[in-house]
């Protein structure tokens, strides 16, 4: 079993910053990719940022230049540094990972439980 545990959400004023963290634990041989998604009320879940292997991270256009995704592979942890936050960034942020179990050639997809981010104007 694998768990993704997020932390770091909260309430912040417009223009402020927050850092989210997501730690993966359990039966992990390797982590192929980690990402952050978000879902605002009444909207579909959308990709915010992703990190796969040693390649360059990808960002949604709406967060480019303001958000930075990073990974600590030794800790199986992914971070999302969010700066210049706007009210439209208000959403539940979900961690996502593609993980290969020990002794297996296939991978599984996992989601965290979500952490609320509220940006007040």
């Amino acid at each position: 079993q694998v768990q993704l545990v997020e932390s770091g959400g909260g309430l912040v004023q417009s223009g402020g910053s927050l850092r989210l963290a997501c730690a993966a634990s359990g039966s992990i041989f390797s982590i192929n990719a980690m990402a952050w998604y978000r879902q605002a009320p009444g909207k579909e879940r959308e990709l915010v940022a992703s990190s796969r292997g040693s390649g360059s991270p990808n960002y949604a256009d709406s967060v480019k230049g303001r958000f930075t995704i990073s990974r600590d592979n030794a800790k199986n942890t992914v971070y999302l540094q969010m700066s210049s936050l706007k009210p439209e960034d208000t959403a539940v942020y979900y961690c996502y990972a593609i993980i290969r179990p020990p002794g297996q050639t296939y991978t599984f997809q996992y989601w965290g439980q979500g952490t609320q981010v509220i940006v007040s104007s």
Side-chain angles (χ1 to χ4, degrees), residues 36-48 62 86-94 114-119:
W36 289 95
Y37 285 74
R38 68 185 180 187
Q39 187 166 19
K43 294 188 177 181
E44 293 188 353
R45 191 173 297 191
E46 63 174 356
L47 176 66
V48 176
S62 58
K86 305 175 182 180
E88 51 264 44
D89 294 318
T90 294
V92 177
Y93 284 70
Y94 296 91
T115 184
Q116 178 75 58
V117 172
I118 299 174
V119 184

Side-chain angles (χ1 to χ4, degrees), residues 40-84:
K43 294 188 177 181
E44 293 188 353
R45 191 173 297 191
E46 63 174 356
L47 176 66
V48 176
S50 65
S51 172
R52 179 183 293 270
S54 59
S56 298
N58 292 311
Y59 297 94
D61 288 343
S62 58
V63 307
K64 282 181 181 177
R66 300 188 298 121
F67 290 11
T68 301
I69 188 171
S70 62
R71 288 171 62 175
D72 184 334
N73 293 326
K75 296 181 179 179
N76 290 335
T77 299
V78 63
Y79 303 94
L80 185 68
Q81 178 66 48
M82 304 184 293
S83 303
S84 302

